[in-house]
Amino acid sequence: MPFSDIPTERLFRFRELLGLSDLTENPLARWGEVLGARPDDFADRIQGFVKEAPQLRIIQDNLPDPAKLRRNWAEWFTGLFRQGLGEELLTRLWRSGQAHVAYNVDHRLISMAYALARAYLHERVAASLPAADAPGVLRSIDALIDFSLLVETDAYVTFATRCELDVIQGIAHQVRNPIAVIGGQARRLIRLHSQDADVAEAAQIVLEEAGRLDALARSVTRYMDVTDREPVAEATVLTPLLHTVLARIASLPDRPKAVLNVDIAPEADRLAVAPADLDALLAALLDNAVRYAAPGDPRVTVRCQPSEGRPGFAKLTIDNTGQTLSAEELTRIFSPFHSTDPMATGMGLAMAKAITRKYSGGIAMGLLSGGTRCVVTLPQAPAAAV
Ligand code: HEM
């Protein structure tokens, strides 16, 4: 795997959090001969654990070269005293997380193996180091093991999620072709049998349902794209984006001509949310507000101001005049596929929640007298330099 594919910035942050980034040389290097002299001994310790856990043993026994695992453990162990915290160790650990997903190794047992590694090294320190040196060396050992496990876990979580995302994305993508064929055939039936009311009616229903499935597949793809994208705390100006999104919604078919009221406080007009994510969030929330605004009096009000409860965050409020929800429905409104409208996909608000969560913000929906209110908190970006 090329080093550029590894999220080095995030991993170097772990290193910094563990107080390891200021070190110019590996703190364990001078203890290599005393502590790192018996890598086979260490490999035996992990091997003993693997032998006792049937689900690990079966993985090892089925490898073309079962001894490869012992070599991996021994190399990591010697690397602790030689390589230090550079790219080589990072790459190896990242690849190990990926391998552990590929071979379906239970991550709880990987954590256990690292706990055994720590215990082994602590024992070696107690047995062979002068008491005065021990505390500093133990701190370095703990930091290096924590760092190793963090990098491995990061890779494990990334690849495990990646596999699930790929399956879901794949299904959403694959079903669109048959749906298009079904819709096309329904249209053909309507054209060829326009005189036969029963056939035309049945074909129309098939066509509408195909349209619904297509919208669902597209919204699942959008939801997965949002989940997949890393959050980027890029400064985005809210007002122009808001108007672009509102114009896009107004051009959609079947949307009521709602009266819009926008009031953005200048000090809350810059949000630390990537434009693509803010666009998707606004599109989901505003389309909902416009679509379900009271038919006789469709009004939508958007406000944004600094949050009083959360310094550094902005509070975006979207009110509409419609009230199509009960208090009970409010509790489930952000669940995927949940909608009170049979023609909706139920993914819009779930996606909005995923975006706010990604940026450590929040979202809540409440009832007003004669309307509905959605409140979103999002991180503010620092004011632009003048
Ligand atoms: C302290 C604990 C562990 C460490 C430091 C560790 C480290 C590693 C490393 C460095 C690799 C090779 C990555 C590469 O360069 O491609 C690897 C691969 C692998 N590990 Fe682990 N591992 C640990 C625990 C375990 C355990 C408990 C299992 C259980 C069976 C396991 C199963 C595997 C498998 C199946 C592979 C892929 C085989 C291969 O090397 O081709 N590991 N691990």
Side-chain angles (χ1 to χ4, degrees), residues 42 46 49-50 55-57 59-60 63 68-69 72-73 75-77 91-97 99-100 103 105 109-110 113-115 117 148 152:
F42 167 72
I46 306 294
F49 168 63
V50 170
Q55 67 268 53
L56 297 184
R57 228 172 109 177
I59 295 172
Q60 184 174 28
L63 288 175
K68 174 88 190 325
L69 294 191
N72 289 340
W73 302 327
E75 277 165 26
W76 168 76
F77 179 79
T91 311
R92 211 67 217 286
L93 287 168
W94 183 263
R95 283 209 321 242
S96 76
H100 295 154
Y103 285 89
V105 187
L109 300 176
I110 292 291
Y114 272 97
S148 296
E152 189 279 340

